[in-house]
Amino acid sequence: MDYEFKLPDLGEGLTEGELVRWHVKAGDSVAENQTLATVLTDKAEVEIPSPKAGKVVRLNGAPGGKVKVHETFAVLSVAGGAGAAPAPSPAEAAPAPAAKKEKAAAKAEAKPAPEAPKAPAASAAGGYVFNLPDLGEGLTEGELVKWHVKVGEKVAENQALAAVLTDKAEVEVPSPKPGTIAVLHGTPGQKVKVHAPFVTFAGVAGGAAPAPAA
């Protein structure tokens, strides 16, 4: 049976486009979603996919000519009843490549790496007080999501101590030194401030000045 494929929407407010080229010819067998043609609008070049699998009977329009939305674009011979319903808009069928790139860029920017303290943190009761490092430019605090360690546990240098949530991303805070956890400053769900005591280690040499108050 012959199936009339009407040109789908090319974009909001667009009623026609310019046929750039056909990717198939009469007599070709095509698969569902195979590209039939390229149509140029005043916004973009759009690939028009086949709504069904079948054989091309007729192609309406010549390259360089105008084609109108919702008018017969191609006629296909398909195994089923004839129809004339337009296929979904190509713009709806797949997200624009630019949108994908923007999402990927936003995702990459949303995970700032925590900076290790540039100077040794302060000592306290024979231990080493690790102050919460910078979480990102302009950020002064975050929400403690969870501790990955517990009091009495031995940790290695750069081992993740906790996860802290900022308004930009969830950041893993690494241990600046190997040692044994003596005190965890804060509980999940609480706000923790940058440069305030975060973890106290036992048996690790510290700095010369006391840690700043939270």
Side-chain angles (χ1 to χ4, degrees):
M1 300 291 289
D2 286 348
Y3 174 89
E4 285 189 20
F5 171 46
K6 296 184 183 298
L7 185 64
D9 290 336
L10 299 172
E12 187 175 354
L14 298 176
T15 60
E16 66 179 13
E18 178 185 332
L19 180 60
V20 177
R21 63 181 173 275
W22 289 106
H23 295 282
V24 296
K25 62 183 182 296
D28 283 356
S29 292
V30 295
E32 185 175 357
N33 293 324
Q34 180 178 334
T35 300
L36 297 178
T38 300
V39 174
L40 179 67
T41 70
D42 58 354
K43 295 181 179 179
E45 199 170 82
V46 182
E47 300 288 329
I48 307 298
S50 174
K52 295 175 179 282
K55 187 175 183 179
V56 178
V57 176
R58 187 173 74 252
L59 300 174
N60 291 341
K66 295 292 184 181
V67 285
K68 294 186 178 295
V69 171
H70 300 159
E71 289 193 357
T72 301
F73 189 61
V75 177
L76 306 174
S77 177
V78 299
S89 165
E92 297 172 357
K100 289 183 180 178
K101 289 180 181 178
E102 288 174 6
K103 288 181 181 179
K107 188 175 181 181
E109 292 173 0
K111 293 188 176 180
E115 295 179 9
K118 293 183 176 64
S123 59
Y128 172 90
V129 177
F130 170 47
N131 295 334
L132 184 64
D134 291 338
L135 300 171
E137 187 175 352
L139 298 176
T140 59
E141 65 178 15
E143 178 183 335
L144 179 60
V145 178
K146 61 186 172 187
W147 290 106
H148 296 305
V149 295
K150 59 183 181 295
V151 173
E153 182 176 344
K154 290 184 178 181
V155 297
E157 185 175 0
N158 292 324
Q159 180 178 335
L161 298 175
V164 175
L165 182 67
T166 71
D167 58 356
K168 294 182 179 179
E170 186 170 295
V171 180
E172 295 293 331
V173 181
S175 174
K177 299 187 177 190
T180 302
I181 304 296
V183 181
L184 298 175
H185 300 272
T187 58
Q190 286 186 335
K191 294 292 185 182
V192 285
K193 294 186 178 295
V194 170
H195 302 156
F198 191 60
V199 176
T200 299
F201 295 84
V204 178

